[in-house]
Amino acid sequence: MDVKLETSWDDLPLMANTSHILVKHYVLDLDVDFESQIFEGTIVLFFESRNRLEKQSGSTKETCRSESNEACRFSTPEPCHSPVTDTRTSSSKTGYNDFAICGKGEKDTSGKDGNHDNPEQASGISSSKYCCDTGNHGSEDFLLVLDCCDLSVFKVEEVDVAVVPGIETFTGSSQIAFVSEELRNQIVHELVTLPADRWREQFDYYAHCSQAPGCGELLFDTDTWSLRIRKTGAQTATDFPHAIRIWYSTKPQGRSVTWTSDQSGRPCVYTMGSPVNNRALFPCQEPPVAMSTWQATVGAAASFVVLMSGENPAKPTQLREGRASWHYYVTMPMPASTFTIAVGSWAEMKPEICSSEDLAAETSLTPSEADFRCVGVCGHMEYPCRFQNPSATTQEVIPHRVFAPVCLQGACYETLLPLVRPCLSAAHSVLGTHPFSRLDILVVPANFPSLGMASPHIIFLSQSVLIGMNHLCGTRLCHEIAHAWFGLAIGARDWTEEWLSEGFATHLEDVFWAKAQQLAPHEAWEQQELKADLRWRCLQDEVRNYPEEMQVLRPNKEKTGHVSDSGSSVIKHGLNPEKVFMQVHYLKGYFLLRFLAQRLGDDTYFAFLRKFVHTFHGQLILSQDFLQMLLENIPEEKRLDLSVENIFRDWLESSGIPQPLQTERQARAECGLARRVGAEVHKWIRVSRRPQKRKRRETEEVFEKLLPDQLVLLLEHLLEQKTLNPRTLQSLERTYQLSQQDAEVRHRWCELIVKHKYTKAYKDVERFLQEDQAMGIYLYGELMVSEDARQQQVARRCFELTKEQMDRSSAQVVAEMLF
């Protein structure tokens, strides 16, 4: 039964017809132009038809019927389910050297812009005037549908892979006498199915094939969310060309790419795929089942550094005067949404000279050199897997680099760089083998809309984590490191199940951070209980302030993981700009995992988690995959009323706060760290209530030194007070140096300033809104709700200063608040 793409205004459609044909490898060859703010060049896609894949497993051939002149509807004899054994990520560092990459040639600009903004479509095809048929019973052509928006497509052509020297080895003959479509597709099939131990040869051929000449232009058309391509006479996915080249450029306002300036005022660009992922960076298949490898060459002015989510620490190759190219690649199949790029005048922060033991721990391991005696059996498709490499399993700290704008070098040396090794080591001690062989960390520009983002081999961090003590930086770094396992190495098969990524990362950040600090068990427990208190308060706020339908962790319920017969699907609320700022899936997911860990006991729970990672790395999962395995691995006496159905009902498929969580929070006693905060709150309330002229004998209050999370809790309690006089606020700031604390503390301080109209400190609010854009959205609302003319002036002035650089979703939400 077909799942139709019935979308509301805030749903994001995934249009690619992945049930018929899959991209197995991308080759990008792009130039970055800061003057025009575009990436321009080519992308070559290598396909494998699902027909061919299913024939190998005895599946029936897919068919497709035309539904209307406006769209294609694909149907199969049976529902098509996404396989759970597709890989997500996991990689080994490699020493990839100098593939022969030729120039891109000249683009064909004779056709008009194929983007949906242009009413006149390219290549002579009128918009939506053709349809598709992948069966052999009709005369319509097969239609390839790729996810795409905000791109200018100039030309699409078939690539003549048969002319590549040496390619005849894939045909079973010494030379090619006659070249047919079937032969070219057979060559691509042999290429994409090479065994993992021949990855170097495979990537070499990919590079050479990507530079082969075209052998015929293909018809193409675009609509709002897709690029649609066909070849006259190719009636099935099996007949459709399996290697195509697309000539295109991005657009300055494309939603996947952010053009801005760094903190030193130098131009830079980075990709932040959310909410449309990478479809405005290159045409691709977005559904998570579409796993592929890739290699990319990016040319830029020689003064820039190009960072990407690649396994190799690329070095620039000098081109013509003033230009350089950077080449990255991944050998592990990953979703197109994980591709990340950042180009700027980044400075690298190098750690002090390591000891010989440190260097040994960070030795890079390449698939070709590593010992691949199997350590257990992996459940994913074949690739050079680090979990099968005995040396990689003991590598506590993977090689890493830290980059930032020049003006933030000092802060990175002081705060960030010393934390990387202990946080990586802590993660390894909890979960075992690092899924990725290396890591770059980049401090991104001020307009980055969150505190961090993890992609394979690279982490983006907000500048907000560098200010104050190392607590916020350490916890956020641990959160992003945790995504290497949950969110990347193990991915959600349905993107509405974000809790499988964010819930795990939130839970694990506490565990990693406690180990990185080398806390005693009681100290770790106290710290984690205090964090739970803060998250409980945050979850209550989220439940009060967001619509009920957006509070559900499994919104598709029994249809979770289902796709249409073509493979297309919908991400519910994927385009709602408010969703970017919600934390419900972080918090409810965190509390569910905390609930399960407490029920099982930490030792049992984390032993299971390591087993789960080893079983499911490189695969896509649904909630039930995790929950079923968990329940199967715990003793009957500890299960009690636990079942997959009950957890779905109580935690994942209902809005509001889960009943088991409410019961647990009501029954628990405050931890010692929280009790000490309570005592300090009472002191501040007494101070605020004293008359301005005090009696001489009245003693001064003595305040304890508080940890960052204690300060956050203190300020949240004080925010509940109806009145605090200016004298108290001044004393509060002076006692704790609030304007110099980390961003979490300063955020609450700014809330206090706004609530009590403490005009002397408005400068702190203005600074926060401009320098901490990842966290400042809520403050705009507070400034406007007060209906105080001066506060509204502060909000509008700050927005005016930052709106041109601000993240698009953030700017949209703030504009709705202000106007």
Side-chain angles (χ1 to χ4, degrees), residues 270-340:
Y270 63 86
T271 58
M272 176 79 174
S274 180
V276 301
N277 294 326
N278 277 323
R279 67 182 71 193
L281 178 62
F282 58 91
C284 56
Q285 291 182 329
E286 284 283 10
V289 70
M291 302 298 181
S292 58
T293 52
W294 57 263
Q295 57 201 98
T297 300
V298 173
S303 59
F304 289 100
V305 175
V306 178
L307 301 177
M308 276 193 239
S309 48
E311 347 187 319
N312 59 312
K315 302 296 181 184
T317 299
Q318 297 304 314
L319 301 176
R320 61 187 183 275
E321 186 177 354
R323 301 285 294 179
S325 71
W326 301 69
H327 187 83
Y328 288 88
Y329 63 90
V330 294
T331 60
M332 310 304 157
M334 288 180 283
S337 61
T338 65
F339 181 100
T340 304

Side-chain angles (χ1 to χ4, degrees), residues 183-236:
L183 178 64
R184 292 191 190 96
N185 287 352
Q186 178 62 29
I187 289 171
V188 175
H189 168 72
E190 296 297 331
L191 178 57
V192 302
T193 56
L194 280 177
D197 60 0
R198 295 176 65 185
W199 75 268
R200 289 181 181 277
E201 178 188 3
Q202 182 185 49
F203 272 52
D204 197 13
Y205 275 112
Y206 279 141
H208 285 90
C209 286
S210 73
Q211 299 301 327
C215 55
E217 290 192 32
L218 304 176
L219 301 170
F220 71 91
D221 187 21
T222 58
D223 61 15
T224 303
W225 291 113
S226 66
L227 168 64
R228 299 172 296 171
I229 305 168
R230 70 181 177 98
K231 178 178 180 179
T232 303
Q235 296 182 16
T236 69

Side-chain angles (χ1 to χ4, degrees), residues 533-565:
D533 284 345
L534 292 170
R535 290 181 179 133
W536 167 249
R537 297 171 70 88
C538 184
L539 179 58
Q540 289 177 307
D541 286 340
E542 293 265 319
V543 167
R544 282 192 294 266
N545 294 321
Y546 285 101
E548 287 190 2
E549 64 269 18
M550 295 181 70
Q551 301 172 21
V552 179
L553 301 192
R554 195 169 179 262
N556 291 336
K557 299 187 177 180
E558 69 277 0
K559 293 183 178 179
T560 301
H562 290 198
V563 297
S564 70
D565 287 347

Side-chain angles (χ1 to χ4, degrees), residues 87-362:
T87 62
R88 180 81 178 179
T89 80
S90 178
S91 64
S92 295
K93 182 176 180 231
T94 53
Y96 185 59
N97 289 322
D98 300 330
F99 288 143
I101 306 291
C102 307
K104 290 187 286 295
E106 297 181 4
K107 71 174 184 287
D108 181 358
T109 56
S110 58
K112 293 189 178 180
D113 184 348
N115 189 271
H116 66 271
D117 291 337
N118 195 331
E120 296 293 329
Q121 298 297 325
S123 298
I125 301 177
S126 299
S127 177
S128 302
K129 294 298 183 185
Y130 55 88
C131 51
C132 65
D133 193 328
T134 59
N136 57 7
H137 56 278
S139 60
E140 298 292 348
D141 296 327
F142 169 76
L143 187 70
L144 169 69
V145 182
L146 298 175
D147 294 299
C148 167
C149 71
D150 303 336
L151 297 178
S152 297
V153 178
F154 307 120
K155 183 170 72 172
V156 182
E157 62 183 355
E158 181 178 359
V159 178
D160 191 0
V161 297
V163 304
V164 172
I167 204 73
E168 61 273 4
T169 59
F170 295 118
T171 67
S173 62
S174 58
Q175 62 182 33
I176 298 174
F178 173 72
V179 177
S180 63
E181 188 73 67
E182 183 179 359
L183 178 64
R184 292 191 190 96
N185 287 352
Q186 178 62 29
I187 289 171
V188 175
H189 168 72
E190 296 297 331
L191 178 57
V192 302
T193 56
L194 280 177
D197 60 0
R198 295 176 65 185
W199 75 268
R200 289 181 181 277
E201 178 188 3
Q202 182 185 49
F203 272 52
D204 197 13
Y205 275 112
Y206 279 141
H208 285 90
C209 286
S210 73
Q211 299 301 327
C215 55
E217 290 192 32
L218 304 176
L219 301 170
F220 71 91
D221 187 21
T222 58
D223 61 15
T224 303
W225 291 113
S226 66
L227 168 64
R228 299 172 296 171
I229 305 168
R230 70 181 177 98
K231 178 178 180 179
T232 303
Q235 296 182 16
T236 69
T238 305
D239 300 332
F240 188 81
H242 282 26
I244 67 171
R245 180 184 294 113
I246 301 170
W247 302 74
Y248 78 101
S249 73
T250 62
K251 293 189 172 183
Q253 299 303 317
R255 282 164 279 184
S256 300
V257 186
T258 301
W259 299 88
T260 186
S261 297
D262 68 17
Q263 293 85 339
S264 296
R266 300 178 179 179
C268 63
V269 61
Y270 63 86
T271 58
M272 176 79 174
S274 180
V276 301
N277 294 326
N278 277 323
R279 67 182 71 193
L281 178 62
F282 58 91
C284 56
Q285 291 182 329
E286 284 283 10
V289 70
M291 302 298 181
S292 58
T293 52
W294 57 263
Q295 57 201 98
T297 300
V298 173
S303 59
F304 289 100
V305 175
V306 178
L307 301 177
M308 276 193 239
S309 48
E311 347 187 319
N312 59 312
K315 302 296 181 184
T317 299
Q318 297 304 314
L319 301 176
R320 61 187 183 275
E321 186 177 354
R323 301 285 294 179
S325 71
W326 301 69
H327 187 83
Y328 288 88
Y329 63 90
V330 294
T331 60
M332 310 304 157
M334 288 180 283
S337 61
T338 65
F339 181 100
T340 304
I341 184 170
V343 185
S345 301
W346 319 123
E348 181 179 356
M349 268 57 65
K350 297 182 182 294
E352 294 180 4
I353 298 174
C354 300
S355 66
S356 58
E357 290 83 0
D358 291 339
L359 292 172
E362 295 189 14

Side-chain angles (χ1 to χ4, degrees), residues 730-781:
Q730 184 180 33
S731 179
L732 189 70
E733 199 287 327
R734 188 168 55 243
T735 300
Y736 301 117
Q737 299 293 299
L738 293 177
S739 61
Q740 299 173 35
Q741 295 289 342
D742 70 35
E744 293 281 9
V745 176
R746 287 184 289 111
H747 187 275
R748 273 68 172 192
W749 168 233
C750 289
E751 289 183 69
L752 270 177
I753 294 168
V754 173
K755 178 174 181 176
H756 299 291
K757 298 180 174 60
Y758 183 40
T759 57
K760 287 184 178 179
Y762 279 2
K763 63 183 186 301
D764 289 345
V765 177
E766 293 183 13
R767 174 190 164 206
F768 194 91
L769 291 177
Q770 293 175 60
E771 297 181 5
D772 298 280
Q773 294 180 35
M775 301 177 65
I777 303 304
Y778 176 79
L779 279 180
Y780 279 104

